[in-house]
């Protein structure tokens, strides 16, 4: 059995090494599963801590989720984030949702009952990832399997088995149930950060950074403004280092549109043995605005003209917190009559604090004192995660959702470094 298994693996690795392009795959004669063509009908894809060396795993027109464990000592480059970021715009007529699922304190080993090799990387792991330490935030093997049983089973039972009792979670409208939390905990949303990218017909883009003039001419054809930031850089994409798909980052000044260096380096360049906390890293390669400030209250103003939100129920933005561990973002809508409602993102999401810490009324605006040690012992693997606010929350404050003039993102903390992208309306229901 061992010899047979090795032969299959050896043949698979040899075949994979030869598949360096879609054309090579076609010439190989191997038929991969398709969501539309016989003999297969793929209903959903759940990708667990994947690698993405050859970019062959972009999935379109079928629900797709990628799980990213932040304490993985093997796939610590979190290549699944590349898959999610690139696949958002693979098909302009995309008909299925895509999900990024960040599990704080997990590795990929413990999602298995048996794993023959250890990727614990204890020697170089950040303190919060080191098992057996009193101040670790790492999930135990049993607790991680509880978490995985809910995430994987609910996703497949919903999208493959049509079991709609799981829909609220995958629409970002319900917490993880106790069965998916560490033993003895009734709530654990600080452990898992869900990002939802709905099908094309269920979202309306307000601001991204895929074009050089994305700030000068946003999705509404108007100019987005940045106030009181020390440094602002917009990137069409970040680098992919691994061959054969190597590419350099493409970043510009949002005003002059001239090329500039990125503020933050790619997580793919991360080395556990030589981490320098002064070198800010981000694991999401999506188009993004990279922002730094040293005075409280900088803001991004995204004008929308006279925008109706009819047909949508959520305003979402993806934010990556690079420094310090936590950041607040105040998300405001202003209508054409000047009525404005500003809501705290942390009231609706745990995405704005970099480690698995339960809300205490102070974080993320104030970092927990006990967490200072984690900033000194290793990166928390920042990713662009979704902060989603129901539109009805703005309506309750008197904003006319049929006539929105602008969206504002304000950062009240005295200093910080963040990345932002995908400001959009979505229909989750």
């Amino acid at each position: 059995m061992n010899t047979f298994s090795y032969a299959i693996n050896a043949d698979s690795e040899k075949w994979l090494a030869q598949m360096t392009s879609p054309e090579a795959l076609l010439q190989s004669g191997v038929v991969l599963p398709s969501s539309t063509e016989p003999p297969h009908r793929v209903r959903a894809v759940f990708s667990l801590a994947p690698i993405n060396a050859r970019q062959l795993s972009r999935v379109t027109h079928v629900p797709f989720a990628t799980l990213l464990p932040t304490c993985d000592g093997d796939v610590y480059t979190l290549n699944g984030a590349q898959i999610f970021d690139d696949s958002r715009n693979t098909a302009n007529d995309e008909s299925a949702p895509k999900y990024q699922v960040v599990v704080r304190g997990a590795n990929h080993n413990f999602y298995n009952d048996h794993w023959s090799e250890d990727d614990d990387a204890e020697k170089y792991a950040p303190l919060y990832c080191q098992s057996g330490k009193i101040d670790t935030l790492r999930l135990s093997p049993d607790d991680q399997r509880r978490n995985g049983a809910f995430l994987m089973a609910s996703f497949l039972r919903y999208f493959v088995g049509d079991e709609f009792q799981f829909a609220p979670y995958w629409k970002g409208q319900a917490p993880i149930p106790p069965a998916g939390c560490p033993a003895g905990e009734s709530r654990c949303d600080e452990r898992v950060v869900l990002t939802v990218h709905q099908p094309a017909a269920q979202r309306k883009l307000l601001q991204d950074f895929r074009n050089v003039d994305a700030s000068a001419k946003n999705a509404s054809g108007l100019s987005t403004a940045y106030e009181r930031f020390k440094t602002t850089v917009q990137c069409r994409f970040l680098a992919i280092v691994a061959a054969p798909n190597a590419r350099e980052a493409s970043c510009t000044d949002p005003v002059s549109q001239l090329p500039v260096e990125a503020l933050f380096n790619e997580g793919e360049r991360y080395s556990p043995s030589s981490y320098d906390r002064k070198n800010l890293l981000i694991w999401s390669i999506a188009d993004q605005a990279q922002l730094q400030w040293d005075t409280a209250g900088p803001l991004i103003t995204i004008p929308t003209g006279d925008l109706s939100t009819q047909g949508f129920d959520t305003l979402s933005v993806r934010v990556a917190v690079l420094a310090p561990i936590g950041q607040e973002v105040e998300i405001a809508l202003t209508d054409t009559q000047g009525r404005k409602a500003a809501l705290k993102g942390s009231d609706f999401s745990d995405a704005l604090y970099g480690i698995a810490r339960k809300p205490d009324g102070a974080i993320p605006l104030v970092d927990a004192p006990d967490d200072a040690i984690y900033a000194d012992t290793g990166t928390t693997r920042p990713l662009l995660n979704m902060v989603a606010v129901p539109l009805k929350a703005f309506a309750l404050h008197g904003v006319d959702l049929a006539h929105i003039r602008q969206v504002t993102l304000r950062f009240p903390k005295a200093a910080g470094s963040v990345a932002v992208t995908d400001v959009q309306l979505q229909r989750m229901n």
Side-chain angles (χ1 to χ4, degrees):
M1 180 62 71
N2 289 339
T3 301
F4 178 68
S5 175
Y6 175 80
I8 292 178
N9 290 336
D11 288 345
S12 298
E13 291 175 4
K14 180 180 178 180
W15 173 82
L16 185 60
Q18 296 171 349
M19 297 302 105
T20 58
S21 69
E23 291 74 21
L25 176 63
L26 182 64
Q27 293 174 4
S28 74
V30 175
V31 179
L32 295 183
S34 166
S35 62
T36 57
E37 300 175 2
H40 310 287
R41 186 184 177 214
V42 177
R43 294 285 300 274
V45 175
F46 193 101
S47 181
L48 175 61
I51 61 171
N52 194 33
R54 291 167 181 82
Q55 303 264 330
L56 293 178
S57 50
R58 297 181 186 182
V59 178
T60 58
H61 302 292
V62 62
F64 171 79
T66 183
L67 187 153
L68 308 176
T70 64
C71 284
D72 201 322
D74 185 4
V75 192
Y76 53 78
T77 48
L78 300 182
N79 301 111
Q82 297 179 2
I83 301 174
F84 176 79
D85 285 335
D86 280 349
S87 68
R88 294 171 306 136
N89 304 303
T90 300
N92 292 331
D93 61 344
E94 178 59 70
S95 58
K98 300 178 187 297
Y99 301 92
Q100 176 179 275
V101 187
V102 178
V103 183
R104 292 164 170 166
N107 64 1
H108 73 266
N109 292 24
F110 296 161
Y111 285 117
N112 301 272
D113 287 326
H114 174 72
W115 190 265
S116 60
E117 297 181 5
D118 181 31
D119 79 339
D120 202 19
E122 284 288 335
K123 183 176 180 181
Y124 302 119
L127 177 61
Y128 68 91
C129 285
Q130 294 180 21
S131 58
K133 297 292 181 68
I134 191 171
D135 42 9
T136 187
L137 299 176
R138 188 168 188 149
L139 286 167
S140 70
D142 288 342
D143 286 340
Q144 189 172 313
R145 282 191 278 272
R146 285 168 59 90
N147 169 262
F150 168 74
L151 291 173
M152 287 178 266
S154 66
F155 179 83
L156 295 173
R157 289 175 67 179
Y158 174 35
F159 287 109
V160 178
D162 296 328
E163 297 185 46
F164 293 99
Q165 69 268 31
F166 299 109
Y169 180 77
W170 293 102
K171 293 178 179 180
Q173 298 173 335
I176 294 178
C181 292
E185 296 186 19
S186 59
R187 295 288 293 267
C188 61
D189 289 303
E190 73 282 355
R191 283 283 180 187
V192 183
V193 182
L194 177 68
T195 297
V196 182
H197 193 73
Q198 288 288 62
Q202 292 179 233
R203 52 184 159 85
K204 181 177 181 60
L205 181 67
L206 304 180
Q207 182 71 65
D208 68 359
F209 302 95
R210 284 190 289 159
N211 300 319
V212 173
D213 62 349
S215 294
K217 185 178 181 181
N218 64 26
S220 301
L222 302 170
S223 180
T224 293
Y226 304 88
E227 301 177 49
R228 298 197 290 276
F229 289 101
K230 180 181 179 181
T231 311
T232 304
V233 171
Q234 66 176 38
C235 298
R236 295 174 56 213
F237 48 77
L238 295 188
I240 295 179
V241 181
N245 297 294
R247 74 182 188 199
E248 294 298 321
S250 175
C251 301
T252 55
D253 180 278
V255 177
S256 69
Q257 299 179 19
L258 295 175
V260 294
E261 293 293 324
L263 291 177
F264 316 135
N265 286 329
E266 298 81 7
E268 194 175 7
R269 303 179 190 273
Y270 173 60
S271 173
S273 61
S274 59
Y275 170 67
D276 179 0
R277 66 181 296 254
K278 296 179 182 179
N279 183 17
L280 295 179
L281 301 173
I282 183 169
W283 269 254
S284 297
I285 61 167
D287 54 285
Q288 57 192 262
Q290 299 185 343
L291 312 166
Q292 290 183 318
W293 68 95
D294 53 15
T295 301
L299 64 155
I300 306 172
T301 302
I302 305 168
T304 57
D306 186 356
L307 173 69
S308 172
T309 65
Q310 183 177 3
F312 303 97
D313 53 34
T314 302
L315 173 64
S316 64
V317 56
R318 291 176 68 195
V319 181
V321 177
L322 286 92
I325 290 177
Q327 286 288 347
E328 182 64 89
V329 57
E330 296 170 355
I331 303 172
L333 289 184
T334 305
D335 64 25
T336 54
Q337 297 299 312
R339 291 168 295 211
K340 176 180 178 180
L343 305 174
K344 293 191 298 183
S346 63
D347 285 342
F348 301 90
S349 172
D350 292 289
L352 297 168
Y353 202 69
I355 58 177
R357 184 71 65 198
K358 292 187 182 301
D360 61 0
I363 63 172
L365 186 58
V366 178
D367 287 1
D370 291 344
D371 292 344
I373 189 173
Y374 300 120
D376 294 325
T377 57
T379 175
T380 58
R381 305 232 194 346
L383 288 147
L384 285 162
N385 293 314
M386 181 182 74
V387 179
V389 181
L391 288 172
K392 64 181 179 182
F394 297 101
L396 290 173
H397 289 77
V399 174
D400 182 357
L401 296 179
H403 299 279
I404 298 300
R405 178 167 60 88
Q406 67 182 30
V407 177
T408 305
L409 306 177
R410 180 179 181 273
F411 300 91
K413 214 161 188 173
S417 299
V418 302
V420 173
T421 196
D422 287 355
V423 182
Q424 58 189 356
L425 300 173
Q426 298 201 71
R427 185 171 73 250
M428 300 298 188
N429 285 320

